[in-house]
Amino acid sequence: MILQNNNLNGEDAMSEVRRLRAEVADLRERLAEIRSVSDAEYAPTDPHPWLRIAATVGLTFALGKLIQALRLPTATAVAIPMISNEVNRRFL
C-alpha cells in the first residue's frame, strides 16, 4: 500500500486518494444493496406482532398452571417454554 511509505510525492498521494475514493464509493454501493435486500427480506408481514407475543405468554401461563395442577416433575416444568414456542411456531 502506498500510504505506508512516508516518502510520497504529490502525484502518488493524489492517485492513492482517487483509488481510496473509488473503493469507498464501491463499498457504499454494496452496502446499499445489502441493506435493500435485508430490509425487504425481514420486513414484518404480521400487522399485529404483539398478538403473537400475548398468545405465547398466555400459552406459557396455561401450561405452567397445568403442570402445577398435575404435579409433574421439575424437568417437565423446564420444558414449558420449549413446548409453548413449538406450539406458537406451528399454529400461530
Side-chain angles (χ1 to χ4, degrees):
M1 199 172 186
I2 296 175
L3 288 177
Q4 293 174 351
N5 185 359
N6 290 335
N7 299 324
L8 285 177
N9 62 24
E11 199 171 300
D12 288 341
M14 289 306 293
S15 68
E16 182 67 13
V17 168
R18 280 192 294 273
R19 186 190 69 76
L20 289 172
R21 283 182 179 165
E23 187 175 342
V24 167
D26 179 51
L27 290 173
R28 283 184 178 160
E29 287 176 15
R30 289 172 52 193
L31 182 60
E33 263 183 51
I34 291 170
R35 283 185 177 157
S36 68
V37 169
S38 66
D39 288 345
E41 200 172 296
Y42 298 110
T45 56
D46 189 7
H48 304 292
W50 54 268
L51 187 59
R52 174 173 272 187
I53 294 169
T56 303
V57 169
L59 182 64
T60 303
F61 179 78
L63 284 173
K65 287 298 182 180
L66 180 67
I67 297 299
Q68 282 180 346
L70 297 176
R71 298 186 184 262
L72 295 174
T74 307
T76 309
V78 171
I80 290 174
M82 292 183 281
I83 294 168
S84 63
N85 282 338
E86 187 65 25
V87 169
N88 185 21
R89 187 179 66 81
R90 291 188 185 208
F91 298 111
L92 296 179

